[in-house]
Amino acid sequence: MAQVSYLDVFWFVPNLIGYTRVGLAAAAVFGMYYEHPFLTFVSYGLSELLDVADGYYARKLGQCSKLGEVLDMVTDRCTTTVLLVYLAQLYQSNMLALLFCFIVSLDISSHYMQMYSQLVTGKTNHKEMGDNSHWILKAYYTDRRVLFAFCFGNESFFMLLYLNKYLPTYALYLSVPLTLAAFPIFFIKNAINVVQLYESASDLARLDAAEINKNKK
């Protein structure tokens, strides 16, 4: 069996999908700042849907990789951050801007803390749950349908907030109820991020305490 070089990993199908997501995210950002809401909606939506495809093909083709895992997480964090930054400008509300800043900070810190704590405890990726993992995180990460539903609902809430500023009045009769329907998913998703941040910080603190006590002996 031929050996895989590091260059081959760059050409793995799920990683190619990841690069496509980056390109679509860039197109969405262009659409935001040059006020092409249709381009933004289509590009951002496709990027989020491809988030499912990369994981599927990674497992199907046996092409799971650390590069793909980090690329996926970084793309998710960057696309959400850019959209929230733009929403803060679009709505011109100090309270909403503070809320969006909090959400961005929570999203980035909770996922970084989770990935770091999983790596130092010997896990292969940030979605791997052990017997002692919090039941909420187990339910969230171990069932891909649950994970997709919350991620899709959360991003849909943000995208609907964006579209509501551009849609004609008659279309708001549909988009506003959809926004309200997506709000509970957004709220729960970010509550899960709070749990993730706390549990990851606790895991790191336990490791620190164990190491300090070991050195005292």
Side-chain angles (χ1 to χ4, degrees):
M1 185 175 180
Q3 294 292 310
V4 175
S5 77
Y6 78 95
L7 292 175
D8 294 328
V9 177
F10 283 100
W11 293 97
F12 280 2
V13 170
N15 293 342
L16 294 176
I17 294 173
Y19 309 147
T20 304
R21 289 190 65 209
V22 172
L24 287 168
V29 174
F30 176 87
M32 289 177 201
Y33 284 94
Y34 284 88
E35 298 195 346
H36 297 292
F38 181 76
L39 173 62
T40 298
F41 173 71
V42 172
S43 300
Y44 197 93
L46 286 175
S47 179
E48 292 305 312
L49 290 175
L50 286 177
D51 191 20
V52 180
D54 60 3
Y56 171 78
Y57 283 106
R59 293 184 296 272
K60 183 179 178 64
L61 300 175
Q63 294 184 343
C64 296
S65 65
K66 298 298 182 187
L67 172 64
E69 181 186 342
V70 174
L71 177 64
D72 180 61
M73 177 181 283
V74 169
T75 304
D76 288 341
R77 305 287 76 76
C78 289
T79 52
T80 302
T81 298
V82 169
L83 178 55
L84 289 175
V85 168
Y86 188 77
L87 286 176
Q89 298 175 29
L90 191 63
Y91 278 86
Q92 296 184 346
S93 164
N94 289 339
M95 288 300 296
L96 283 177
L98 285 172
L99 174 62
F100 293 147
C101 285
F102 171 76
I103 294 168
V104 168
S105 301
L106 175 63
D107 189 44
I108 293 173
S109 59
S110 66
H111 282 85
Y112 178 81
M113 190 85 77
Q114 171 78 356
M115 173 172 276
Y116 187 81
S117 67
Q118 294 292 75
L119 289 175
V120 298
T121 54
K123 304 291 194 311
T124 57
N125 63 70
H126 74 285
K127 296 178 182 177
E128 183 179 344
M129 295 290 111
D131 294 336
N132 297 324
S133 299
H134 196 284
W135 67 270
I136 289 178
L137 298 180
K138 283 184 180 179
Y140 179 68
Y141 278 118
T142 56
D143 191 327
R144 294 190 183 95
R145 294 168 299 180
V146 173
L147 182 62
F148 172 77
F150 277 107
C151 291
F152 182 78
N154 186 60
E155 296 300 325
S156 295
F157 176 73
F158 296 143
M159 183 49 60
L160 284 165
L161 286 178
Y162 169 78
L163 289 175
N164 288 343
K165 279 292 188 176
Y166 292 98
L167 290 172
T169 303
Y170 67 85
L172 293 176
Y173 288 105
L174 175 61
S175 67
V176 171
L178 287 174
T179 306
L180 294 174
F183 176 79
I185 301 175
F186 149 78
F187 184 84
I188 296 171
K189 169 70 170 66
N190 285 278
I192 292 171
N193 282 346
V194 172
V195 173
Q196 178 171 262
L197 180 63
Y198 175 78
E199 289 296 313
S200 301
S202 298
D203 287 341
L204 291 173
R206 290 188 191 99
L207 284 174
D208 289 333
E211 185 175 344
I212 291 170
N213 291 329
K214 182 180 178 181
N215 291 334
K216 285 182 177 180
K217 293 180 180 180

